[in-house]
Amino acid sequence: MTTNFFDTTKLGHLEEDFTTFFENTQVKIERIVTRGQTSPKNFYYDQEDGEWVLILEGEAELSFSEKKCLTLKKGESLYLPPHQKHRVSAVSHYVLWLAVFVKN
């Protein structure tokens, strides 16, 4: 059976969605659909695994614990090493992310 990464028609229109397309002991490939959601105030992700993200639609601003910010636009990617504290501080109305987690 095949799946279409870009088909988000069956998802709710207000919720953020995380769909795993592949996972094994070394890697996880996930689609994230964001519809205006940002990280809670004063919350930072502190992940065990490295994460490479690619913006396929929309744009998102990431803030880091070092007080710096970075805006990712459609087609741009970023690697977040393990324990790189970050949060999603702003997004466009619709953001389609491809996230690849490299497990430790």
Side-chain angles (χ1 to χ4, degrees):
M1 183 170 115
T2 63
T3 55
N4 184 332
F5 190 89
F6 294 98
D7 183 6
T8 60
T9 57
K10 296 180 183 175
L11 303 179
H13 293 289
L14 300 176
E15 302 85 25
E16 188 170 30
D17 181 77
F18 300 84
T19 302
T20 300
F21 278 76
F22 176 81
E23 185 171 11
N24 66 19
T25 58
Q26 299 172 337
V27 69
K28 177 169 85 168
I29 300 173
E30 184 174 72
R31 175 186 65 200
I32 304 168
V33 177
T34 306
R35 293 183 172 86
Q37 296 88 353
T38 59
S39 302
K41 188 174 183 173
N42 298 320
F43 169 82
Y44 287 89
Y45 289 99
D46 185 3
Q47 301 169 158
E48 294 285 324
D49 301 327
E51 178 183 10
W52 177 81
V53 293
L54 170 65
I55 303 288
L56 297 169
E57 290 292 334
E59 64 180 65
E61 179 183 86
L62 299 179
S63 299
F64 300 89
S65 59
E66 306 86 29
K67 307 291 183 208
K68 65 179 182 174
C69 294
L70 176 68
T71 299
L72 292 175
K73 297 181 180 186
K74 181 177 179 176
E76 295 182 328
S77 66
L78 174 69
Y79 177 72
L80 299 160
H83 300 290
Q84 171 68 65
K85 292 183 181 180
H86 66 283
R87 62 186 305 275
V88 179
S89 51
V91 293
S92 57
H93 176 71
Y94 176 82
V95 184
L96 179 61
W97 310 71
L98 168 62
V100 178
F101 298 88
V102 180
K103 299 180 181 184
N104 285 329

